[in-house]
Amino acid sequence: RAGFVASDCWFISVLFTADIISTVEFNYTGDLLATGDKGGRVVIFQREQETKSRPLSRGEYNVYSTFQSHEPEFDYLKSLEIEEKINKIRWLPQQNAAHFLLSTNDKTIKLWKISERDKRAEGYNLKDEDGRLREPCRVTELRVPTLKPMDLMVEASPRRTFANAHTYHINSISVNSDYATYLSADDLRINLWHLEVTNRSFNIVDIKPANMEELTEVITAAEFHPHHCNVFVYSSSKGTIRLCDMRSSALCDQHSKFFEEPEDPSSRSFFSEIISSISDVKFSHNGRYMMTRDYLSVKVWDLNMENRPVETYQVHEYLRSKLCSLYENDCIFDKFECCWNGSDSTIMTGSYNNFFRTFERSTQRDTTLEASRESSKPRAILKPRKVCTSGKRKKDEITVDSLDFNKKILHTAWHPAENIIAVAATNNLYLFQEKVN
């Protein structure tokens, strides 16, 4: 098996706090890659097509479009500032020449249309070429407007705005397999939207208790099944996952399946509940499995087995002895995401010190790689990294005490068909592709 190499367009460096990347998402074909940041901007990268003059250019991603998706707002009723930070981006399958994507901050979801324009109309009757209206007395002949070539221009235009449906912060959006509806989830509720209707949504999950003092858990992530439009799952801060079927009732307060791994009483500690909180849940492409990420591990569940996961991968078990200091610096509340490769054979998730982990499911082989400007020269093969947990440190290893917890890989994405991965390291985006011998 060959390792990953850095692409020519191997990182995009930005400088300000507002430019910290908050989400990464490939579209359904993998030809476009979208990132959202804390400043409310969406940057779309397009994959270069291979040509006769540049036979090796395919695989490089260059900036295709940049636009401001969300602006900071202020809720005067609650005296609450609403950040412009993009929490999630989800693409819709391409139906025509244009592309569509959903982006959301804490409160408002927007549907954007990204289209190309390489021709402009000339020869209007009632206005000059600069757009100014002509005086009627100057119109002496009837002209037929013609289309003339122009430099390619990519336009991002807002098509719909879905607002005023969430009291709490939106943490997830997921497009349904019917491609007509999608869900949005916050801490206590999940809403179902139709893409054509902006002023109405249906509440399909509500876990808010009558007395908020009785609140014991919150919703952390939610996703639709990739093939069955009536099935979705949501995870909780207690480390549980509920699978719901919308055919059973309009309000899915009663789950169809409940996934939970019993806790070993001997290993219980003050931090057990915090580190068991699930930060991400993803269905496999074939719909048979789902993957969850908690603070220390990634688990793969078979949808037909609720009592325990079929696979468990330790991401950074060596941090278990550091939980006290991680609690003091708030790192223990970091929300790491996870993703499948296109064939569901390998999974990927992030860690600290700009490390990210890949796990091959058939061989149980795991690899630790680093996304950094120093170690990721273009076209260079990434060297696996190792963390020394005890004993004498070897030359290429790094000790647990030397890890930089300010450098963290929270957001990753895998190309739907090829071994190309996108890794967001704070305010840098790294693109790696697998080198084939």
Side-chain angles (χ1 to χ4, degrees), residues 367-417:
T367 307
T368 302
L369 301 171
E370 181 181 6
S372 70
R373 299 170 68 167
E374 293 76 22
S375 63
S376 306
K377 302 286 177 61
R379 299 296 172 187
I381 297 180
L382 297 183
K383 293 182 180 179
R385 302 299 305 271
K386 287 188 177 180
V387 178
C388 174
T389 55
S390 61
K392 190 175 181 181
R393 182 175 66 91
K394 296 180 182 179
K395 180 182 178 183
D396 296 330
E397 292 182 341
I398 182 172
T399 63
V400 177
D401 293 328
S402 303
L403 296 173
D404 188 344
F405 295 108
N406 291 318
K407 296 179 178 179
K408 59 193 78 171
I409 305 292
L410 300 177
H411 314 287
T412 58
W414 205 307
H415 190 286

Side-chain angles (χ1 to χ4, degrees), residues 265-374:
S266 62
S267 62
R268 182 162 182 80
S269 70
F270 171 78
F271 305 106
S272 294
E273 192 167 321
I274 301 175
I275 63 175
S276 66
S277 176
I278 294 174
S279 55
D280 196 17
V281 57
K282 294 276 174 60
F283 278 109
S284 60
H285 294 85
N286 61 18
R288 168 76 185 273
Y289 302 96
M290 65 178 174
M291 169 173 53
T292 60
R293 171 69 205 264
D294 56 44
Y295 189 68
L296 293 179
S297 64
V298 173
K299 297 172 182 175
V300 176
W301 302 77
D302 189 318
L303 294 188
N304 298 318
M305 191 167 76
E306 303 172 50
N307 60 335
R308 62 183 175 87
V310 291
E311 301 162 28
T312 300
Y313 303 97
Q314 300 300 332
V315 178
H316 38 220
E317 181 65 20
Y318 47 78
L319 294 182
R320 192 175 288 275
S321 61
K322 298 285 184 183
L323 292 179
C324 188
S325 57
L326 290 166
Y327 178 79
E328 292 173 353
N329 63 16
D330 284 344
C331 284
I332 201 170
F333 302 106
D334 286 334
K335 293 176 171 55
F336 292 95
E337 297 175 4
C338 52
C339 61
W340 302 84
N341 71 339
S343 61
D344 298 331
S345 62
T346 307
I347 59 182
M348 176 173 61
T349 191
S351 181
Y352 292 104
N353 209 71
N354 278 1
F355 289 167
F356 60 98
R357 311 281 321 271
T358 60
F359 302 93
E360 291 184 18
R361 298 178 59 206
S362 59
T363 62
Q364 301 286 303
R365 178 185 175 184
D366 63 284
T367 307
T368 302
L369 301 171
E370 181 181 6
S372 70
R373 299 170 68 167
E374 293 76 22

Side-chain angles (χ1 to χ4, degrees), residues 4-21:
F4 281 97
V5 299
S7 167
D8 277 348
C9 178
W10 59 282
F11 70 88
I12 295 86
S13 181
V14 284
L15 301 173
F16 306 105
T17 304
D19 296 312
I20 292 176
I21 298 171

